[in-house]
């Protein structure tokens, strides 16, 4: 039995499936511009803390979390004898704490002087 032209053709346009789809054009990934505003950075051998225009980044050993300002209700700090402790309270309930120890007491005093104005800048107007 011989098959004529159009074998398997189900009544569509002659010539196959039509033109191929256009080539995939990747969508450019937006590059986040660095935030503007003051920043605070403190770290020790195990823990780290960054407060900047993006929010608060806490590291404790292998664990880390980025908390954007929109997710934060408030951020409080407490001076320690040899460092600083920061507590971030989120709008949905969880509370995160991170303590960073300085190698020298003078460094701890510097951190405790630099951190409050940075927090005040980003927390201005919050209840």
């Amino acid at each position: 039995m011989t098959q004529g032209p159009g074998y398997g053709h189900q009544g569509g346009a002659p010539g196959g499936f039509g033109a191929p789809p256009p080539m995939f054009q990747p969508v450019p990934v937006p590059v986040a511009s660095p935030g503007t505003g003051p920043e605070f950075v403190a770290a020790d051998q195990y823990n780290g803390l960054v407060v900047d225009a993006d929010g608060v980044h806490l590291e404790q050993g292998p664990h880390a979390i980025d908390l954007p300002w929109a997710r934060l209700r408030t951020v409080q700090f407490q001076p320690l004898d040899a460092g600083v402790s920061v507590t971030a309270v989120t709008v949905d309930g969880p509370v995160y704490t991170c303590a960073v120890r300085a190698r020298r007491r003078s460094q701890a005093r510097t951190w405790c002087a630099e951190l409050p104005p940075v927090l005040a800048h980003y927390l201005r107007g919050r209840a």
Side-chain angles (χ1 to χ4, degrees):
M1 176 169 167
T2 57
Q3 303 290 328
Y7 173 75
H9 199 270
Q10 300 290 322
F17 296 104
M23 291 289 294
F24 172 72
Q25 296 296 322
V27 177
V29 177
V31 177
S33 61
T36 58
E39 67 178 29
F40 173 83
V41 178
D44 63 23
Q45 184 178 0
Y46 303 105
N47 303 327
L49 165 67
V50 176
V51 179
D52 62 16
D54 295 327
V56 177
H57 174 82
L58 305 173
E59 290 185 24
Q60 284 196 262
H63 307 286
I65 188 166
D66 287 313
L67 301 165
W69 289 111
R71 189 170 168 212
L72 291 169
R73 176 170 290 139
T74 190
V75 180
Q76 302 165 347
F77 90 99
Q78 178 179 359
L80 302 175
D81 286 339
V84 64
S85 175
V86 171
T87 301
V89 181
T90 62
V91 294
D92 55 345
V95 176
Y96 301 92
T97 300
C98 179
V100 181
R101 298 182 74 64
R103 287 182 180 225
R104 297 176 310 276
R105 285 186 186 253
S106 63
Q107 180 66 60
R109 286 191 298 272
T110 300
W111 286 346
C112 292
E114 292 175 350
L115 181 55
V118 174
L119 288 176
H121 175 82
Y122 295 113
L123 293 172
R124 195 171 302 134
R126 293 178 187 241

